[in-house]
Amino acid sequence: MRDFALAHQDEPLSIPQLCRAFRVSRRTLQYAFQEICCVSPGAYLRVLRLNGVRRALRAPERTFLDVQDLAAQWGFWHPSQFACDYKKLFGERPSDTLRRRTEPLPFAKS
């Protein structure tokens, strides 16, 4: 599932797409995710994509124009919903993550 989702990172995958790809019913997919991951398939996909954005924001090289561009690359088409979901998961705004990446590390106090 993870590999399939990462191969389709630029599109928000739907539950029916997943069911077709894995040749299972919606109910089977739901039960499997609840049993193994303790979350719904939709929540799993959202967290997987949000983590992908976070890794890219923290990477030393910048391969995107801005945060919205990066979010779109990971299939987030609604900037305000993306920012809300990101802050709820990581406790900071995406722009804060990006800014911290470029700030020098503080000196240790002795």
Side-chain angles (χ1 to χ4, degrees), residues 83-96:
C84 180
D85 289 345
Y86 188 96
K87 186 168 185 175
K88 185 186 287 187
L89 184 61
F90 300 115
E92 66 181 6
R93 298 175 305 169
S95 57
D96 295 337

Side-chain angles (χ1 to χ4, degrees), residues 14-34:
S14 68
I15 301 306
Q17 284 176 299
L18 294 175
C19 291
R20 283 191 300 275
F22 296 107
R23 297 181 180 169
V24 296
S25 71
R26 185 181 194 112
R27 184 170 292 190
T28 298
L29 185 72
Q30 182 72 32
Y31 286 159
F33 267 86
Q34 285 301 133

Side-chain angles (χ1 to χ4, degrees), residues 53-101:
V53 171
R54 186 169 177 85
R55 278 191 306 277
L57 288 172
R58 297 183 65 168
E61 69 284 341
R62 188 168 172 173
T63 60
F64 52 92
L65 297 174
D66 57 25
V67 173
Q68 285 183 330
D69 175 56
L70 180 60
Q73 288 177 24
W74 281 89
F76 293 102
W77 303 112
H78 302 286
S80 61
Q81 184 63 53
F82 161 72
C84 180
D85 289 345
Y86 188 96
K87 186 168 185 175
K88 185 186 287 187
L89 184 61
F90 300 115
E92 66 181 6
R93 298 175 305 169
S95 57
D96 295 337
T97 302
L98 180 61
R99 186 175 53 253
R100 280 189 312 110
R101 175 188 62 89

